[in-house]
Amino acid sequence: MTSPARTTANSPANKKTNRAGLELPAYRGGKTTLCAGCGHNAISERIIDACFAMGIEPDRVIKLSGIGCSSKSPAYFLGSSHGFNAVHGRMPSVGTGALLANHELVAIGVSGDGDTGAIGIGQFVHLMRRNLPIVYVIEDNGCYGLTKGQFSPTADVGSTLKTGVVNDLPPIDTCALAIQLGATFVARSFSGDKKQLTAVLKAALAHRGTAMIDVLSPCVTFNDHEGSTKSYAYVKSHDDPLGELDFVPFFEDISVDYEPGAVQEVTMHDGSRLYLRKLDEAYDPTDRMHALRVLHETHDRGEFATGLIYVEPAAADFLTTLNLVDEPLASLPESRVRPPKAVLDEIMAGLG
Amino acid sequence: MTSPARTTANSPANKKTNRAGLELPAYRGGKTTLCAGCGHNAISERIIDACFAMGIEPDRVIKLSGIGCSSKSPAYFLGSSHGFNAVHGRMPSVGTGALLANHELVAIGVSGDGDTGAIGIGQFVHLMRRNLPIVYVIEDNGCYGLTKGQFSPTADVGSTLKTGVVNDLPPIDTCALAIQLGATFVARSFSGDKKQLTAVLKAALAHRGTAMIDVLSPCVTFNDHEGSTKSYAYVKSHDDPLGELDFVPFFEDISVDYEPGAVQEVTMHDGSRLYLRKLDEAYDPTDRMHALRVLHETHDRGEFATGLIYVEPAAADFLTTLNLVDEPLASLPESRVRPPKAVLDEIMAGLG
Amino acid sequence: MAAYDVAVEERPTASSAAPVINDFSIQVATVNGSGSQTANLVLLRAIFQMGVPVSGKNLFPSNIAGLPTWFTIRANKKGYVARKKEIDVLVAMNPETAREDVLGLPAGAAVVYDAPLDLDSLRDDLVFYPVPFDALLAKVSRDVKLRRRVRNMLYDGVLSRLLGVDLDEMEAALRKQFGGKPKVVAINREALDVGCAYAEEHLDKRDPFFIEPMDANRGRILVEGNAAAAIGCMMAGVTVVTWYPITPSSSLCETLIDYLRKYRVDEETGKATFAVVQAEDEIAALGMALGGAWAGARSMTATSGPGVSLMGEFAGLGYYAEVPAVIFDIQRVGPSTGLPTRTAQGDVLSTAFLSHGDTRHPLLFPSSPEECYSMAMDAFDLAERFQTPVFVLSDLDLGMNTWMSAKFGYPSKPLDRGKVLDAEALEKIGRFGRYRDVDGDGIPWRSVPGTPAPAYFCRGSGHNEWGQYSERSDDYEKNVDRLARKFETARDWMPAPEVEIDRRATVGIIAYGTSHWAVVEGRDQLLEEADLQTSYYRLRAYPFRSGLASFVERHEHVYVVEQNRDAQLASLMRLELKAELAGRLRSVLHYAGVPIDARTITDDILIQEGYRAERSVAHGRMPHEAGVGGE
Amino acid sequence: MAAYDVAVEERPTASSAAPVINDFSIQVATVNGSGSQTANLVLLRAIFQMGVPVSGKNLFPSNIAGLPTWFTIRANKKGYVARKKEIDVLVAMNPETAREDVLGLPAGAAVVYDAPLDLDSLRDDLVFYPVPFDALLAKVSRDVKLRRRVRNMLYDGVLSRLLGVDLDEMEAALRKQFGGKPKVVAINREALDVGCAYAEEHLDKRDPFFIEPMDANRGRILVEGNAAAAIGCMMAGVTVVTWYPITPSSSLCETLIDYLRKYRVDEETGKATFAVVQAEDEIAALGMALGGAWAGARSMTATSGPGVSLMGEFAGLGYYAEVPAVIFDIQRVGPSTGLPTRTAQGDVLSTAFLSHGDTRHPLLFPSSPEECYSMAMDAFDLAERFQTPVFVLSDLDLGMNTWMSAKFGYPSKPLDRGKVLDAEALEKIGRFGRYRDVDGDGIPWRSVPGTPAPAYFCRGSGHNEWGQYSERSDDYEKNVDRLARKFETARDWMPAPEVEIDRRATVGIIAYGTSHWAVVEGRDQLLEEADLQTSYYRLRAYPFRSGLASFVERHEHVYVVEQNRDAQLASLMRLELKAELAGRLRSVLHYAGVPIDARTITDDILIQEGYRAERSVAHGRMPHEAGVGGE
Ligand SMILES: Cc1ncc(C[n+]2csc(CCOP(=O)(O)OP(=O)(O)O)c2C)c(N)n1
Ligand SMILES: Cc1ncc(C[n+]2csc(CCOP(=O)(O)OP(=O)(O)O)c2C)c(N)n1
Ligand code: SF4
Ligand code: SF4
Ligand SMILES: [Mg+2]
Ligand SMILES: [Mg+2]
């Protein structure tokens, strides 16, 4: 993980300018319209921190997303960057096109576990395979927040909806999947772990290739069932559930801070627990099979390994293999994209 | 691998009837319209053999496919079974629906590496995850045969099209992917390995759950480049390539027969080679991590591990978890699917 | 009724205007996620239980919590249930929109508001009722958590007093909602009482609006269109349900799941007579439905515009390979993601022609919950009879809002499973050819996997009448000509229109789906305000019944009322009607995201008929449609 | 020309009929994968080089090898290039279809056939020329492998002699094809000579068909529509190409890749000024194109019907978020997978209305390779000018068959990149609002990521003119009204029709795309056979130019000729024309998978105009359209 000098939104370091000559507020976005306590908001904050710390120029950034609560969040950071809120599950293709047009752009993609794991899994697979240079953040809450709480493909076996429907399907581990597909930077973190998440995001921004980060991010409103490892949830233990049709309680963010090698138990509002295991400092993230084994083993123990799980720093990214001219394709002048008359004449002669 | 007693199309055993009381010809289909020597034809033959040997009743079988040369092949076996040649890459969903309608059906799906690996990868992922009881055969030639030879996602790095375009993307290993996604039966074989392929197919037919078989199957017409590990190819060494626009040469099937634990080198018509490593008899296919490691290691050596790579015999299949009534849903009479008047009255009272 | 009587007796008399009884709209402006839905539905249901015709429309943002929402309840003694633009009683709970909400009111309206918002200085032509909600809340319970949840019930209490809504009916409504949870009912009742008492003590009734008991709702229910459709699907014997969540269709499937789990589980074995799968996307959802139907199940899926746009390829397969499927499209505002929580009738063209090549699909247009129920059953029968995907085009207004309805009748016809081959049928038709037109109606016979009938190979590629692959021109033409013939046959199997001919009328109106309710009211306005008689053709399906032409022929001008920009249904008519008749078509279009109202229709027709020069109110907009600046 | 002269001098004279010169069709019936394409193109090109107008159409199966294929070459001194139903010279190489092929011929036709097929007993009104191909082959080369590949060149040799096609022109054509491979040219020439010599020695010319040199092809080229479009895309400065293989569009992208690799690589650095990505499917292909265009690149994709059906959701996003993209739809026969290797104009409605909600797209209809070339450039200019996806509707006939064409002219206009904001423009418009209608034409200004212009948030959900998220009714209406206005503006920017007014005509004809060529010939037939004058409006784009109405107005009946079942373009016209004019529209429809021919049009119009009672030949079918029973 690069850049040990951390700067967060709350430290006094805020007032200073970064290497792009900007202050932290230059990285803020619109006011969030997500629920209070939603993990996605914390992630937006960390993206702001990381971009500020890395001195990214906002006018070189493009923010990309699909559809979902998570996919709304690019509106809430880097307000002066271009953004494209595409259609559900198809952000990877839009991002690919944009980077083809201009390989100098810094692409930050935000998706949800539904957006990526369900309708978008095909584009996800092919994005990983291509190693497109993009930071790809999955804001992973195990459910479809925006459509009111249905299971997503990362929901745990045994999770139960309010209606009593139980999920019988095994979750897709997006990290293991990405590694399997040849992704070159794979990490997992928790929305409430400021230190780790900022560090992971900074490393991702420094990586040339696809940097996939699965961020466990509680949905405080819908993922409220005992079985879930990704949930907050409300008033369950003692009260008679009031069952209001659309009451969304107010929650504070959960935050954690724990050491490498340690397991952190995160207690949710409903008493359910999430176990995070931070990879220890000796962990070697360049061994693919080892990374897969760690993911499988922690999963079998009911834990989530967090940190930079796998990285292959040297792999050529997609744009490099295309061998494009140095200038962005989008800004090539007519003289460089319309061949001269001699070329047309040559072709015509060949067909005549 | 179950059923040691093998019966192939060419043995004298043909004349006898199987436990369904049928002779081998009852399992044949229409005349193939694929190229001579196409690996897909050999696979059809093996499906015929396996179904005959297992005594499958053809009128309980449904054949499902997407679009491609491979996806045409269900027309060439089990001619008296129902078939559904769906749209490109979407066979899994059609198969899922059919099995929901009638869980007594025996489903055999045939797809191509383009059909599954490109447009269809999303449905593939979710099929594996659901563990739908279906035999899912990928006829894997590393290219799009029917549209004339473009790269598929299983093409090798460095493969070259006739036009000189080179593939830079790593191949998707459908077996490793399937295991990663929780598939419960994963095998790989070669179209020309009668003994192994028939055995694998028989085991697959006996498995309750998704049985995914990646069958390397040469495209004699298009996959004709040095770099490919899945190719036949034509006249390359000594002749000046004649470059006819649509000349498709005639090839004989390649067949192999090798022992467990051995590596078989298959020489293609263009001199390129394919290395098959048959898993040895001591191999334990129930260890998931081990299976993944074997796939990675053989891949790194430029080999393909063949045989039953992974199996989890006890996992509940999708239809079982749905807890359906015993009779097929499709044949429930009106009296069992339209609730009585009392039910409607109760509902109306609740709303009144 | 005791409480009500008391309220009436003690009715404050400060109001100068004549009382307006059972004919006004109440709008609650609040923030979503604040739990006001319960309070609103309790109010709605209480009025309903008092026998007063009522309807409720929720205008909510595409977000989960924290953004403005408006819930409008219209009580109308004549039974009008369309949206009405003017708000008579506003409950202003949302600081963010309160100003704009108040400024948009017509003079004379009443405003109940959270006292700290200080709204009474904004206008002097309204009646203001400040209520210190937080202070009142403290009286309800000491449990801070619980208390927060019943805050909205306080305004129900206030309104019960101001408008004369029976508190006991409110409690009954609460009981309906919270069935077995007496504690919950009790604390909510407490809040009602606190609100009511506050109004009694501190609020001087100065507005003219009153609810008085009537007897209009006997035998009626309150239900959302999506729930009605779900009941219809269950009664239609659906066995395979595949879906992908999307607003506003999710509640159809979710309600259906509830009903199926309750009523379609085998009592002895505890096993299900249905399968529901949440698919990975809409493509897979339709693929599964087609696979299920091909294998003999009654299969369905439900979605909205974006899902429809993804289903094109499979819809074409269903048409050409002739596989049944029922697809509910609960329309929302497009194009693209558009306004996911707003209503429209914008998918008529895209569904009718969904897919490339010469593809064409039957469409059903329910107008009411009753039709959501009955047309769900029709849809399955038609899909199986015609072996083709059938679209049911509902919309957000119908699907998600609460409507009065007659109780649904138990189906009188058995399921029509269409031409499925059994031994007897096979005998009759002789050699089985999957795509042979044996009966001259364009509908072939089909066999189903797993049955003893002969197999065939189902495919979206060219085939001859025997079901064999074919690239022959003659096979192709014969097949698509038969498909066209089949579509013609379908015409007179589709639900018939509801036609009301006024013999003196030179003006006709055609509408479908939810536009119907505004037309009902609009026709009365036309008659009252301009003495303009109109005939009415409520269209219920595409392909159109053959009688459409003669309706148009009877009238000089025919107004096609619809909720989209491009006059989509009128377009389909132009393609079928003789030019002379097509020339009589005019359009009334409303595409503001909110449901169409009668005034829009009345004004538009009066202008087009030359009675008036200008609209009385800006087209299709209402002041409070403030929207939000969120994402 | 020496060889030709010799051939003419020695022309056999057994034929009793008058010679038919430069006006007949040759059909080669063979099996695909047998390499006959080379022989057919050499024959075609030789005739072309002799200055005789010629066209070639390949009817091939959806499979790779082993199924029947028919290649038809039409030589016509008047320049007619439409399909002609009657075959005058058949080369019967395919045992499977030979019988049916021969039985379908008109009396007097010539049949060159593989001797062992024994076809001459089938009919006695034809001229049969048996050729022992395998025996002849032995004379060409001893190398069995090589030999097999030139087998088809033998029939070229035979035909050269029988029809008088210059052998040297054939060799020149060979050289064109096999450029740097003299050995290949030599062995093929050998085969030509063997075939020619055999004919000279053993075949007695008894048919009347001759090719004689003309001078009609000066300055002309031979090219497929897809190659022409590829050249157009390259000259349009395309920078991002995303695609997914599908017949019949693949060759457009593949040819484009070849050209780009040859002509658009920076000479100094060896680096590409373009990016091509084979996407994982059509959804991704369009998503990438839109992403590329949003970020400022000229982006395109190409597909056919099934791909279009998958692109619905993204197409709607492009329309509503106003992102350019060029989409080539090389139409094949639908619905569904349909007949993938047959031609149609069946995607007009599905592309015009592609996506839910009130979505609408501009369409371009090239008729010729020249227009594939020029409209490719138009498409990029229009897509960027109007910030919207533009569809180019070509078809398999145009895209994959070989057409004569004038040489393409070098573009005279610079690229039109539309309203892209730079510092100067920003100054002019004042505050940037992404969706503000600054200029009154409905077209807003856009900024591009990575440039100094202000950023905006691009979205398919509701937005106001400042690009902010909005669910407000007024913002929504304003926005979609502007989109409609933009579409209106586009009308007169679209390629203008080609109109030929005959002042005496009461009958008008409208056609588009490849139907044009049959109309040209059909109009001559109408004049010759029935003295029926017609005017002609060759439509080139949707939305229609405003002049369409006045064309219709001039005529009593207007026939819209198209290659689909449902009269799709006529439908679009009915939606726009006043009813009185719409009533004049009639349709001539051809949907047999093979290209439309003049006879179909002539007969149909004569019947509809009351000149005739019956068609002279069964509608749209030709005897040899045997198709195949394969899969
Ligand atoms: C094609 C399509 N189908 C369905 C939807 C409805 N939809 C909106 S968001 C969403 C799921 C979001 O889940 P996730 O990506 O996990 O995001 P979250 O809200 O949980 O952050 C769905 C199904 C849609 N917008 N488009
Ligand atoms: C939606 C759609 N896109 C593209 C095609 C064209 N197409 C037909 S087959 C095929 C690829 C087949 O490749 P594969 O599945 O590997 O089968 P193979 O022919 O190699 O056996 C493609 C792209 C199609 N039929 N439908
Ligand atoms: S519903 Fe869940 S995911 Fe969506 S904003 Fe609220 S807490 Fe976040
Ligand atoms: S093209 Fe290739 S995959 Fe297709 S039939 Fe021929 S050999 Fe088989
Ligand atoms: Mg989620
Ligand atoms: Mg393949």
Side-chain angles (χ1 to χ4, degrees), chain C residues 59 333 339 341-344 396 590-595 620, chain D residues 473 476-477:
Chain C
L59 195 74
V333 174
L339 308 180
T341 59
R342 299 297 149 91
T343 197
L396 182 139
H590 182 278
Y591 47 100
V594 293
Chain D
S473 292
Y476 175 77
E477 288 179 313

Side-chain angles (χ1 to χ4, degrees), chain A residues 34-35 38 40 69 141 145-146 218-222, chain C residues 64:
Chain A
L34 303 179
C35 304
C38 176
H40 302 352
C69 293
N141 54 16
L146 191 56
C219 171
V220 296
T221 303
F222 294 110
Chain C
I64 300 303

Side-chain angles (χ1 to χ4, degrees), chain A residues 33-35 67 69 72 75-76 85 87-88 90 114 118-119 144-148 150-151 163-165 221-222 234-235 238-250, chain C residues 33-38 41 62-65 67 143 145-146 148-149 177-178 181 183-184 243-247 250 254 257-258 261 278 280-283 310 336-337 630-631:
Chain A
T33 63
L34 303 179
C35 304
I67 301 285
C69 293
K72 285 180 176 187
Y76 315 136
N85 193 184
V87 289
H88 193 28
R90 318 293 180 185
I119 192 168
Y144 290 2
L146 191 56
T147 53
K148 308 209 160 198
Q150 300 87 359
F151 296 126
T163 53
V165 173
T221 303
F222 294 110
Y234 59 88
V235 227
H238 36 75
D239 301 336
D240 202 356
L242 288 187
E244 273 84 358
L245 292 179
D246 71 338
F247 186 83
V248 175
F250 184 89
Chain C
S34 67
S36 60
Q37 190 81 327
T38 301
L41 290 179
S62 174
N63 122 310
I64 300 303
L67 291 183
D143 182 328
K145 249 190 203 157
L146 270 187
R148 276 223 322 264
R149 285 141 186 275
Q177 185 140 314
F178 295 114
K181 295 173 185 159
K183 274 212 282 185
V184 180
W243 67 300
Y244 189 71
I246 186 166
T247 307
S250 304
E254 287 170 328
I257 292 168
D258 287 348
R261 284 161 57 95
Q278 183 185 315
E280 57 271 33
D281 62 13
E282 292 86 348
I283 299 179
L310 284 168
S336 195
T337 304
E631 166 71 353

Side-chain angles (χ1 to χ4, degrees), chain A residues 40 70 112-115 139-146 152 154 217 219:
Chain A
H40 302 352
S70 34
D113 43 313
D115 195 65
E139 303 189 341
D140 184 358
N141 54 16
C143 74
Y144 290 2
L146 191 56
S152 84
T154 69
S217 175
C219 171

Side-chain angles (χ1 to χ4, degrees), chain A residues 142-216:
Chain A
C143 74
Y144 290 2
L146 191 56
T147 53
K148 308 209 160 198
Q150 300 87 359
F151 296 126
S152 84
T154 69
D156 302 289
V157 176
S159 306
T160 314
L161 297 184
K162 287 178 190 171
T163 53
V165 173
V166 177
N167 178 42
D168 292 312
L169 297 177
I172 292 178
D173 181 338
T174 48
C175 290
L177 187 62
I179 294 173
Q180 184 55 57
L181 291 165
T184 57
F185 180 112
V186 177
R188 176 168 277 139
S189 190
F190 176 64
S191 58
D193 189 341
K194 284 192 189 184
K195 201 153 72 179
Q196 184 190 50
L197 181 52
T198 310
V200 165
L201 282 164
K202 281 158 61 183
L205 285 164
H207 179 73
R208 183 79 194 166
T210 308
M212 200 301 272
I213 313 175
D214 183 56
V215 188
L216 304 178

Side-chain angles (χ1 to χ4, degrees), chain B residues 32-41 68-70 72 139 141 143-149 217-223 232 248 251, chain D residues 63-65:
Chain B
T32 179
T33 64
L34 303 178
C35 303
C38 176
H40 302 352
N41 285 329
C69 293
S70 34
K72 286 180 176 186
E139 303 189 342
N141 54 17
C143 73
Y144 291 3
L146 191 57
T147 53
K148 308 209 159 200
S217 175
C219 171
V220 296
T221 303
F222 294 111
N223 211 339
Y232 284 2
V248 175
F251 287 112
Chain D
N63 120 311
I64 301 302

